[in-house]
Amino acid sequence: MSIYVGNLSYQVTEEDLKLAFAEYGKVSRVQLPTDRETGRPRGFAFVEMESDTQEQAAIDALDGAEWMGRDLKVNKAKPREERSNSSRGNWGGGNARRNNNRY
């Protein structure tokens, strides 16, 4: 299981998250996605802990809590959905060529 942590301050670090969640058990992994262009955190993270019990304790304690000036949104992470390539083709490329062949 993994925990989704949203509404994070842009100044948060992986170390900050490890320290905050360590209060509820052993933190196995922290993922703090960053913006490709700016390199700054995107405002959310994923935290994995040693057991489901520890993760649930962290969720119960931290969801809605104020941390670094923000009200956290903490819950079980949902599985990542597969992206369809067909929906990405609607922005030019393939469809534009097909339309040009019509007379």
XYZ file of all heavy atoms in Angstrom:
819
model
N 0.846 -1.184 0.000
C 0.000 0.000 0.000
C 0.883 1.236 0.000
O 2.002 1.223 0.481
C -0.904 -0.005 1.231
C -1.883 1.148 1.263
S -3.115 1.007 2.565
C -2.362 1.995 3.824
N 0.372 2.296 -0.522
C 1.080 3.562 -0.554
C 0.119 4.656 -0.100
O -1.087 4.539 -0.255
C 1.549 3.834 -1.994
O 2.349 4.973 -2.036
N 0.684 5.714 0.470
C -0.114 6.832 0.958
C 0.071 8.016 0.015
O 1.200 8.350 -0.345
C 0.344 7.258 2.372
C 0.216 6.107 3.359
C -0.446 8.460 2.856
C 0.871 6.398 4.707
N -1.028 8.640 -0.369
C -0.990 9.882 -1.135
C -1.031 11.030 -0.136
O -1.867 11.044 0.776
C -2.194 9.961 -2.076
C -2.400 11.338 -2.661
C -1.682 11.742 -3.773
C -3.302 12.232 -2.086
C -1.856 13.014 -4.316
C -3.486 13.500 -2.616
C -2.755 13.880 -3.725
O -2.926 15.138 -4.246
N -0.121 11.983 -0.294
C -0.088 13.159 0.566
C -0.214 14.381 -0.338
O 0.673 14.655 -1.156
C 1.235 13.240 1.363
C 1.183 14.390 2.352
C 1.524 11.928 2.076
N -1.318 15.098 -0.236
C -1.569 16.243 -1.105
C -1.616 17.553 -0.346
O -1.621 17.592 0.879
N -1.624 18.631 -1.121
C -1.653 20.003 -0.618
C -0.391 20.334 0.178
O -0.427 21.023 1.185
C -2.907 20.278 0.212
C -3.189 21.764 0.321
O -2.900 22.531 -0.601
N -3.744 22.185 1.438
N 0.737 19.823 -0.312
C 2.016 20.073 0.353
C 2.580 21.434 -0.021
O 2.373 21.927 -1.128
C 3.045 19.014 -0.069
C 2.838 17.609 0.466
C 3.816 16.651 -0.202
C 3.019 17.584 1.970
N 3.336 21.991 0.886
C 4.088 23.217 0.618
C 5.121 22.913 -0.464
O 5.673 21.808 -0.518
C 4.798 23.668 1.901
O 5.797 24.603 1.602
N 5.424 23.889 -1.294
C 6.428 23.691 -2.335
C 7.840 23.656 -1.757
O 8.788 23.305 -2.446
C 6.318 24.775 -3.407
C 5.030 24.660 -4.199
C 4.096 25.682 -4.178
C 4.752 23.527 -4.951
C 2.909 25.577 -4.893
C 3.571 23.412 -5.667
C 2.659 24.443 -5.627
O 1.494 24.328 -6.332
N 7.995 23.995 -0.489
C 9.302 23.962 0.159
C 9.593 22.614 0.821
O 10.690 22.399 1.319
C 9.414 25.073 1.225
C 9.640 26.461 0.655
C 8.392 27.036 -0.009
O 7.295 26.902 0.511
N 8.559 27.662 -1.156
N 8.642 21.701 0.831
C 8.818 20.418 1.512
C 9.916 19.592 0.831
O 10.114 19.673 -0.381
C 7.489 19.628 1.564
C 7.129 19.045 0.215
C 7.540 18.550 2.618
N 10.632 18.804 1.632
C 11.675 17.909 1.120
C 11.312 16.473 1.485
O 10.457 16.229 2.345
C 13.046 18.239 1.731
O 13.001 17.956 3.141
C 13.434 19.685 1.478
N 11.994 15.524 0.852
C 11.782 14.124 1.198
C 12.112 13.893 2.667
O 11.424 13.141 3.354
C 12.632 13.218 0.307
C 12.098 13.096 -1.097
C 12.874 12.094 -1.942
O 13.584 11.224 -1.382
O 12.761 12.180 -3.178
N 13.152 14.535 3.156
C 13.552 14.390 4.557
C 12.452 14.903 5.493
O 12.173 14.283 6.524
C 14.866 15.116 4.817
C 15.474 14.793 6.157
C 15.821 13.319 6.340
O 16.137 12.620 5.366
O 15.751 12.853 7.501
N 11.821 16.025 5.146
C 10.706 16.547 5.943
C 9.595 15.501 6.063
O 9.039 15.273 7.135
C 10.109 17.816 5.314
C 11.038 19.014 5.339
O 11.881 19.112 6.257
O 10.904 19.857 4.429
N 9.269 14.882 4.936
C 8.205 13.877 4.921
C 8.591 12.649 5.739
O 7.783 12.121 6.501
C 7.862 13.482 3.493
C 7.087 14.536 2.708
C 7.148 14.261 1.224
C 5.644 14.585 3.187
N 9.839 12.195 5.600
C 10.296 11.041 6.378
C 10.168 11.310 7.870
O 9.699 10.462 8.619
C 11.755 10.711 6.040
C 11.930 10.039 4.708
C 13.399 9.774 4.427
C 13.586 9.249 3.027
N 15.002 9.066 2.679
N 10.580 12.496 8.298
C 10.505 12.842 9.718
C 9.060 12.912 10.206
O 8.739 12.432 11.294
C 11.215 14.168 9.983
C 12.740 14.141 9.862
C 13.305 15.559 9.938
C 13.352 13.269 10.944
N 8.171 13.496 9.407
C 6.775 13.626 9.804
C 6.090 12.262 9.914
O 5.346 12.002 10.855
C 6.026 14.510 8.816
N 6.356 11.375 8.969
C 5.689 10.073 8.953
C 6.358 9.063 9.875
O 5.726 8.097 10.294
C 5.580 9.549 7.523
C 4.447 10.160 6.766
C 4.571 11.424 6.199
C 3.232 9.503 6.639
C 3.513 12.011 5.525
C 2.170 10.078 5.970
C 2.310 11.339 5.410
N 7.619 9.272 10.223
C 8.338 8.363 11.117
C 7.694 8.299 12.493
O 7.871 7.327 13.225
C 9.796 8.782 11.231
N 6.937 9.303 12.835
C 6.226 9.326 14.111
C 5.204 8.188 14.202
O 4.801 7.786 15.280
C 5.510 10.672 14.251
C 5.138 11.037 15.658
C 4.619 12.464 15.746
O 5.157 13.361 15.085
O 3.651 12.642 16.515
N 4.797 7.635 13.050
C 3.755 6.608 13.004
C 4.289 5.241 12.610
O 3.529 4.284 12.514
C 2.639 7.052 12.052
C 2.150 8.417 12.455
C 2.630 9.562 11.828
C 1.281 8.562 13.536
C 2.233 10.821 12.249
C 0.883 9.817 13.958
C 1.365 10.940 13.319
O 0.988 12.185 13.749
N 5.595 5.131 12.365
C 6.200 3.855 12.002
C 7.401 4.059 11.095
O 7.829 5.184 10.852
N 7.926 2.953 10.592
C 9.114 3.000 9.744
C 8.731 3.359 8.307
O 7.908 2.690 7.678
C 9.842 1.665 9.770
C 11.123 1.708 8.983
C 11.937 0.466 9.142
C 13.230 0.711 8.399
N 13.886 -0.435 7.932
N 9.347 4.411 7.782
C 9.101 4.852 6.411
C 10.012 4.061 5.478
O 11.233 4.074 5.622
C 9.354 6.369 6.267
C 9.165 6.806 4.831
C 8.428 7.147 7.202
N 9.420 3.360 4.515
C 10.183 2.561 3.557
C 10.640 3.381 2.363
O 11.730 3.183 1.845
C 9.344 1.402 3.020
O 8.757 0.677 4.047
N 9.763 4.301 1.917
C 10.049 5.025 0.686
C 9.240 6.310 0.647
O 8.097 6.342 1.092
C 9.675 4.140 -0.492
C 9.952 4.710 -1.837
C 9.612 3.685 -2.897
N 9.793 4.260 -4.205
C 9.282 3.784 -5.303
N 8.534 2.708 -5.270
N 9.489 4.353 -6.455
N 9.836 7.353 0.069
C 9.139 8.617 -0.169
C 9.384 9.014 -1.617
O 10.521 8.997 -2.079
C 9.645 9.736 0.768
C 9.030 11.076 0.389
C 9.354 9.416 2.219
N 8.329 9.330 -2.332
C 8.431 9.852 -3.699
C 7.856 11.254 -3.692
O 6.703 11.453 -3.314
C 7.630 9.003 -4.685
C 8.247 7.672 -5.014
C 7.384 6.964 -6.037
O 6.375 6.384 -5.682
N 7.784 7.016 -7.282
N 8.665 12.216 -4.103
C 8.238 13.607 -4.157
C 8.412 14.081 -5.593
O 9.475 14.559 -5.976
C 9.090 14.441 -3.187
C 8.713 15.897 -2.999
C 7.302 16.036 -2.438
C 9.714 16.567 -2.065
N 7.362 13.908 -6.427
C 7.480 14.300 -7.834
C 7.793 15.788 -7.980
O 7.278 16.623 -7.226
C 6.093 13.984 -8.412
C 5.514 12.973 -7.482
C 6.055 13.331 -6.129
N 8.634 16.093 -8.963
C 8.996 17.484 -9.231
C 8.569 17.880 -10.633
O 8.442 17.032 -11.522
C 10.511 17.708 -9.084
O 11.203 16.789 -9.923
C 10.960 17.517 -7.649
N 8.353 19.154 -10.824
C 7.994 19.704 -12.119
C 9.194 19.578 -13.053
O 10.317 19.900 -12.672
C 7.592 21.171 -11.945
C 7.127 21.779 -13.254
O 7.992 22.313 -13.976
O 5.925 21.722 -13.542
N 8.992 19.126 -14.258
C 10.087 18.935 -15.220
C 10.788 20.232 -15.583
O 11.989 20.260 -15.800
C 9.564 18.290 -16.500
C 9.191 16.864 -16.334
C 8.741 16.271 -17.653
N 8.051 15.019 -17.402
C 7.150 14.497 -18.182
N 6.808 15.097 -19.297
N 6.568 13.364 -17.874
N 10.027 21.307 -15.671
C 10.608 22.585 -16.103
C 11.265 23.358 -14.969
O 12.347 23.897 -15.136
C 9.528 23.439 -16.770
C 9.050 22.846 -18.078
C 7.959 23.669 -18.734
O 7.847 24.867 -18.415
O 7.226 23.112 -19.551
N 10.604 23.428 -13.813
C 11.123 24.252 -12.715
C 11.955 23.461 -11.718
O 12.758 24.033 -10.992
C 9.980 24.937 -11.946
O 9.195 23.931 -11.294
C 9.112 25.770 -12.878
N 11.729 22.143 -11.639
C 12.441 21.320 -10.679
C 11.891 21.400 -9.265
O 12.370 20.722 -8.367
N 10.850 22.210 -9.048
C 10.297 22.320 -7.705
C 9.235 21.241 -7.499
O 8.633 20.752 -8.459
C 9.739 23.710 -7.440
C 8.405 23.978 -8.033
C 7.888 25.342 -7.642
N 6.500 25.432 -8.069
C 5.712 26.437 -7.840
N 6.169 27.492 -7.209
N 4.463 26.432 -8.238
N 8.993 20.873 -6.235
C 7.965 19.864 -5.957
C 6.605 20.287 -6.525
O 6.292 21.468 -6.613
C 7.919 19.813 -4.423
C 9.273 20.274 -4.008
C 9.673 21.306 -5.024
N 5.789 19.287 -6.878
C 4.493 19.545 -7.505
C 3.356 19.678 -6.499
O 2.208 19.858 -6.880
C 4.183 18.426 -8.493
C 5.160 18.441 -9.666
C 4.965 17.297 -10.610
N 3.634 17.310 -11.183
C 3.122 16.292 -11.868
N 3.824 15.205 -12.044
N 1.911 16.367 -12.338
N 3.662 19.570 -5.207
C 2.625 19.778 -4.200
C 1.980 18.505 -3.691
O 1.008 18.553 -2.960
N 2.525 17.353 -4.087
C 2.024 16.089 -3.559
C 3.171 15.098 -3.479
O 4.230 15.319 -4.061
C 0.868 15.528 -4.412
C 1.269 15.124 -5.801
C 1.652 13.814 -6.075
C 1.254 16.039 -6.842
C 2.006 13.434 -7.363
C 1.601 15.666 -8.132
C 1.987 14.361 -8.385
N 2.946 14.017 -2.741
C 3.978 12.992 -2.581
C 3.314 11.647 -2.313
O 2.104 11.570 -2.071
C 4.901 13.350 -1.417
N 4.129 10.602 -2.365
C 3.695 9.256 -2.004
C 4.646 8.735 -0.947
O 5.860 8.872 -1.079
C 3.689 8.335 -3.226
C 2.731 8.779 -4.284
C 3.162 9.544 -5.362
C 1.388 8.464 -4.199
C 2.280 9.981 -6.329
C 0.491 8.903 -5.172
C 0.944 9.658 -6.235
N 4.086 8.168 0.107
C 4.875 7.636 1.208
C 4.485 6.176 1.406
O 3.298 5.838 1.426
C 4.619 8.425 2.512
C 5.381 7.822 3.678
C 4.978 9.895 2.336
N 5.494 5.318 1.527
C 5.254 3.910 1.830
C 5.863 3.615 3.190
O 6.974 4.056 3.488
C 5.878 3.016 0.765
C 5.216 3.150 -0.584
C 5.871 2.292 -1.654
O 6.636 1.365 -1.310
O 5.622 2.564 -2.836
N 5.123 2.859 3.990
C 5.587 2.498 5.323
C 5.681 0.979 5.424
O 5.221 0.255 4.550
C 4.664 3.103 6.370
C 4.643 4.627 6.282
S 3.627 5.429 7.505
C 4.673 5.265 8.941
N 6.279 0.523 6.511
C 6.569 -0.893 6.679
C 5.325 -1.769 6.744
O 5.340 -2.908 6.302
C 7.411 -1.076 7.943
C 8.167 -2.366 7.986
C 9.182 -2.364 9.115
O 8.753 -2.432 10.286
O 10.373 -2.290 8.815
N 4.225 -1.260 7.297
C 3.017 -2.089 7.409
C 1.763 -1.255 7.126
O 1.774 -0.030 7.255
C 2.911 -2.702 8.806
O 2.555 -1.720 9.748
N 0.706 -1.960 6.778
C -0.585 -1.304 6.545
C -1.087 -0.626 7.818
O -1.709 0.434 7.757
C -1.625 -2.317 6.058
C -1.351 -2.804 4.645
O -0.507 -2.201 3.948
O -1.991 -3.798 4.236
N -0.815 -1.227 8.959
C -1.253 -0.656 10.241
C -0.590 0.698 10.473
O -1.244 1.663 10.893
C -0.905 -1.618 11.404
O -1.493 -2.885 11.131
C -1.418 -1.094 12.727
N 0.708 0.779 10.188
C 1.428 2.040 10.349
C 0.912 3.093 9.371
O 0.733 4.254 9.738
C 2.929 1.825 10.142
C 3.574 0.982 11.206
C 5.014 0.634 10.885
O 5.562 1.032 9.863
N 5.643 -0.124 11.775
N 0.666 2.672 8.147
C 0.148 3.607 7.142
C -1.220 4.138 7.551
O -1.493 5.324 7.424
C 0.100 2.948 5.766
C 1.477 2.741 5.185
C 1.480 2.157 3.787
O 0.407 1.732 3.296
O 2.552 2.123 3.179
N -2.086 3.264 8.058
C -3.413 3.706 8.463
C -3.334 4.665 9.645
O -4.077 5.644 9.717
C -4.310 2.510 8.803
C -5.764 2.895 8.975
C -6.358 3.541 7.726
O -6.289 2.999 6.629
N -6.932 4.727 7.882
N -2.410 4.418 10.574
C -2.225 5.326 11.712
C -1.794 6.710 11.226
O -2.280 7.736 11.719
C -1.190 4.756 12.681
N -0.904 6.750 10.245
C -0.454 8.025 9.685
C -1.596 8.741 8.971
O -1.770 9.957 9.123
C 0.723 7.799 8.732
N -2.383 8.011 8.209
C -3.530 8.599 7.506
C -4.514 9.193 8.514
O -4.949 10.336 8.375
C -4.228 7.549 6.609
C -3.325 7.175 5.432
C -5.574 8.059 6.116
C -3.785 5.945 4.652
N -4.846 8.412 9.538
C -5.807 8.871 10.547
C -5.317 10.129 11.258
O -6.099 11.032 11.543
C -6.075 7.765 11.573
C -6.820 6.575 10.979
O -7.409 6.714 9.885
O -6.787 5.497 11.603
N -4.021 10.190 11.538
C -3.477 11.317 12.295
C -3.238 12.558 11.438
O -3.414 13.683 11.913
C -2.167 10.904 12.953
N -2.854 12.375 10.191
C -2.397 13.512 9.389
C -3.406 14.068 8.396
O -3.257 15.195 7.931
C -1.099 13.147 8.660
C 0.088 12.827 9.577
C 1.271 12.325 8.760
C 0.465 14.049 10.393
N -4.438 13.314 8.045
C -5.419 13.828 7.090
C -6.132 15.034 7.704
O -6.731 14.950 8.769
C -6.436 12.760 6.700
C -7.369 13.225 5.593
O -6.910 13.965 4.694
O -8.554 12.855 5.615
N -6.016 16.179 7.048
C -6.638 17.408 7.518
C -5.773 18.212 8.480
O -6.123 19.326 8.844
N -4.636 17.640 8.886
C -3.753 18.342 9.819
C -3.032 19.488 9.118
O -2.722 19.411 7.925
C -2.727 17.371 10.404
N -2.748 20.554 9.861
C -1.975 21.663 9.301
C -0.495 21.347 9.458
O -0.038 20.970 10.536
C -2.295 22.972 10.009
C -1.575 24.138 9.347
C -1.817 25.459 10.037
O -2.849 25.604 10.710
O -0.954 26.329 9.897
N 0.236 21.487 8.363
C 1.676 21.216 8.368
C 2.347 22.160 7.388
O 1.929 22.260 6.239
C 1.942 19.759 7.995
C 3.350 19.316 8.157
C 4.116 19.388 9.285
C 4.179 18.717 7.163
N 5.359 18.864 9.054
C 5.420 18.442 7.752
C 3.982 18.372 5.826
C 6.477 17.852 7.065
C 5.029 17.784 5.143
C 6.255 17.531 5.757
N 3.321 22.888 7.837
C 4.045 23.858 7.017
C 3.076 24.871 6.396
O 3.214 25.262 5.235
C 4.893 23.161 5.945
C 5.974 22.260 6.517
S 6.949 21.412 5.264
C 8.169 22.665 4.907
N 2.055 25.247 7.176
C 1.105 26.255 6.734
C 0.033 25.774 5.784
O -0.722 26.576 5.235
N -0.074 24.465 5.578
C -1.072 23.909 4.654
C -1.876 22.821 5.350
O -1.363 22.109 6.199
C -0.370 23.285 3.431
C 0.686 24.129 2.730
C 0.123 25.210 1.850
N -0.696 24.743 0.770
C -0.346 24.790 -0.505
N 0.822 25.260 -0.865
N -1.178 24.377 -1.425
N -3.146 22.665 4.969
C -3.980 21.573 5.470
C -3.757 20.361 4.572
O -4.120 20.381 3.385
C -5.454 21.964 5.466
C -5.773 23.047 6.488
O -5.017 23.169 7.471
O -6.772 23.764 6.293
N -3.167 19.315 5.125
C -2.813 18.132 4.345
C -4.025 17.322 3.930
O -5.018 17.240 4.653
C -1.886 17.224 5.154
C -0.529 17.773 5.534
C 0.233 16.736 6.348
C 0.260 18.171 4.303
N -3.909 16.689 2.783
C -4.870 15.699 2.310
C -4.098 14.386 2.263
O -3.161 14.231 1.483
C -5.400 16.087 0.918
C -6.351 15.085 0.336
C -7.634 15.053 1.126
C -8.608 14.071 0.476
N -9.624 13.657 1.416
N -4.435 13.451 3.152
C -3.690 12.195 3.273
C -4.672 11.038 3.171
O -5.629 10.963 3.935
C -2.928 12.137 4.626
C -2.091 10.869 4.716
C -2.055 13.373 4.810
N -4.435 10.144 2.200
C -5.291 8.966 2.055
C -4.539 7.855 1.331
O -3.407 8.043 0.907
C -6.602 9.316 1.339
C -6.377 9.982 0.004
O -5.496 9.598 -0.742
N -7.171 11.000 -0.294
N -5.183 6.708 1.206
C -4.575 5.594 0.473
C -4.429 6.008 -0.985
O -5.356 6.564 -1.579
C -5.444 4.343 0.559
C -5.490 3.739 1.938
C -6.350 2.490 1.942
C -6.433 1.929 3.338
N -7.231 0.710 3.406
N -3.266 5.750 -1.537
C -3.032 6.085 -2.945
C -3.828 5.126 -3.825
O -3.925 3.939 -3.548
C -1.551 6.003 -3.263
N -4.382 5.671 -4.886
C -5.107 4.860 -5.857
C -4.099 4.360 -6.898
O -3.142 5.061 -7.216
C -6.188 5.689 -6.537
C -7.247 6.148 -5.570
C -8.238 7.045 -6.241
C -9.240 7.538 -5.206
N -10.075 8.596 -5.705
N -4.333 3.189 -7.462
C -3.422 2.693 -8.502
C -3.382 3.654 -9.682
O -4.396 4.258 -10.046
C -4.037 1.361 -8.930
C -4.956 0.979 -7.827
C -5.407 2.253 -7.179
N -2.218 3.797 -10.269
C -2.058 4.682 -11.415
C -2.819 4.109 -12.596
O -2.697 2.931 -12.919
C -0.581 4.820 -11.746
C -0.310 5.836 -12.800
C 1.157 6.035 -12.973
N 1.375 7.086 -13.936
C 2.524 7.670 -14.121
N 3.560 7.306 -13.419
N 2.652 8.617 -15.017
N -3.586 4.964 -13.266
C -4.358 4.518 -14.428
C -3.492 4.551 -15.672
O -2.659 5.426 -15.840
C -5.572 5.429 -14.630
C -6.584 5.329 -13.523
C -7.786 6.225 -13.759
O -7.924 6.766 -14.873
O -8.578 6.379 -12.820
N -3.715 3.564 -16.537
C -3.012 3.524 -17.817
C -3.513 4.660 -18.696
O -4.705 4.916 -18.756
C -3.277 2.187 -18.527
C -2.713 0.991 -17.811
C -1.230 0.839 -18.019
O -0.732 1.233 -19.082
O -0.560 0.338 -17.105
N -2.585 5.321 -19.372
C -2.980 6.378 -20.303
C -3.148 5.782 -21.689
O -2.348 4.977 -22.137
C -1.914 7.471 -20.360
C -1.861 8.290 -19.120
C -0.920 9.422 -19.324
N -0.884 10.247 -18.126
C -0.207 11.360 -18.045
N 0.503 11.782 -19.057
N -0.210 12.054 -16.936
N -4.174 6.223 -22.365
C -4.436 5.747 -23.720
C -3.716 6.632 -24.720
O -3.777 7.856 -24.638
C -5.944 5.785 -23.979
O -6.207 5.550 -25.323
N -3.012 6.023 -25.671
C -2.319 6.797 -26.702
C -3.289 7.498 -27.636
O -2.983 8.530 -28.195
C -1.391 5.904 -27.520
C -0.154 5.521 -26.738
O 0.203 6.190 -25.775
N 0.476 4.441 -27.150
N -4.492 6.934 -27.811
C -5.444 7.523 -28.743
C -5.897 8.910 -28.310
O -6.132 9.767 -29.134
C -6.651 6.608 -28.929
O -7.343 6.462 -27.702
N -5.982 9.152 -27.003
C -6.442 10.460 -26.553
C -5.375 11.526 -26.769
O -5.663 12.695 -26.878
C -6.833 10.413 -25.073
O -5.702 10.145 -24.276
N -4.103 11.130 -26.854
C -3.031 12.085 -27.059
C -2.924 12.497 -28.529
O -2.397 13.539 -28.843
C -1.709 11.493 -26.591
C -1.731 11.219 -25.103
C -0.514 10.503 -24.665
N 0.560 11.469 -24.516
C 1.809 11.157 -24.321
N 2.168 9.893 -24.272
N 2.723 12.088 -24.173
N -3.449 11.676 -29.432
C -3.341 11.970 -30.855
C -4.291 13.046 -31.339
O -4.232 13.459 -32.481
N -5.181 13.513 -30.514
C -6.157 14.504 -30.925
C -5.586 15.906 -31.032
O -6.267 16.820 -31.426
C -7.343 14.517 -29.952
C -8.147 13.237 -30.042
O -8.110 12.552 -31.054
N -8.842 12.901 -28.980
N -4.346 16.120 -30.665
C -3.731 17.448 -30.683
C -2.879 17.635 -31.942
O -1.707 17.943 -31.865
C -2.894 17.672 -29.431
C -3.750 17.864 -28.237
C -4.121 16.922 -27.346
C -4.381 19.067 -27.836
N -4.946 17.463 -26.396
C -5.116 18.779 -26.676
C -4.408 20.362 -28.337
C -5.862 19.748 -26.018
C -5.138 21.316 -27.661
C -5.858 21.009 -26.526
N -3.434 17.404 -33.080
C -2.695 17.630 -34.319
C -2.249 16.323 -34.925
O -2.980 15.369 -34.972
N -1.017 16.289 -35.392
C -0.385 15.071 -35.900
C -1.284 14.237 -36.776
O -1.642 14.618 -37.872
N -1.664 13.060 -36.290
C -2.415 12.072 -37.051
C -3.756 12.555 -37.560
O -4.086 12.370 -38.723
N -4.549 13.188 -36.746
C -5.870 13.623 -37.170
C -5.798 14.736 -38.207
O -6.608 14.799 -39.112
C -6.698 14.100 -35.972
C -7.113 12.936 -35.096
O -7.137 11.793 -35.547
N -7.420 13.228 -33.849
N -4.841 15.618 -38.086
C -4.706 16.717 -39.043
C -4.407 16.182 -40.433
O -4.941 16.665 -41.421
C -3.617 17.678 -38.595
N -3.578 15.159 -40.522
C -3.240 14.580 -41.831
C -4.453 13.911 -42.463
O -4.686 14.032 -43.651
C -2.106 13.566 -41.671
C -0.808 14.228 -41.389
C 0.316 13.219 -41.327
N 1.512 13.883 -40.880
C 2.407 13.369 -40.086
N 2.256 12.126 -39.654
N 3.457 14.045 -39.714
N -5.212 13.193 -41.652
C -6.401 12.538 -42.186
C -7.376 13.568 -42.740
O -7.956 13.379 -43.781
C -7.093 11.722 -41.090
C -6.631 10.294 -41.100
C -7.429 9.462 -40.138
N -6.481 9.031 -39.122
C -6.614 9.199 -37.836
N -7.680 9.746 -37.345
N -5.700 8.795 -37.001
N -7.555 14.681 -42.035
C -8.494 15.702 -42.488
C -8.019 16.381 -43.758
O -8.813 16.815 -44.564
C -8.704 16.757 -41.401
C -9.475 16.179 -40.221
O -10.187 15.188 -40.386
N -9.336 16.794 -39.082
N -6.711 16.480 -43.983
C -6.168 17.112 -45.178
C -6.398 16.274 -46.425
O -6.357 16.788 -47.529
C -4.667 17.398 -45.022
C -4.415 18.546 -44.065
O -5.295 19.346 -43.805
N -3.206 18.612 -43.545
N -6.614 14.974 -46.268
C -6.811 14.111 -47.418
C -8.231 14.126 -47.937
O -8.509 13.585 -48.987
C -6.417 12.663 -47.078
C -4.926 12.530 -46.855
O -4.147 13.319 -47.399
N -4.528 11.530 -46.078
N -9.120 14.766 -47.252
C -10.524 14.829 -47.702
C -10.672 15.965 -48.716
O -10.138 17.048 -48.535
C -11.465 15.064 -46.529
C -11.475 13.880 -45.589
C -12.438 14.099 -44.487
N -12.378 12.961 -43.585
C -12.827 12.961 -42.368
N -13.399 14.041 -41.871
N -12.723 11.898 -41.620
N -11.468 15.714 -49.763
C -11.681 16.733 -50.800
C -13.093 17.190 -50.847
O -14.039 16.582 -50.696
C -11.272 16.188 -52.184
C -9.811 15.878 -52.237
C -9.353 14.576 -52.088
C -8.880 16.891 -52.434
C -8.015 14.280 -52.135
C -7.528 16.603 -52.480
C -7.110 15.303 -52.354
O -5.787 15.023 -52.403
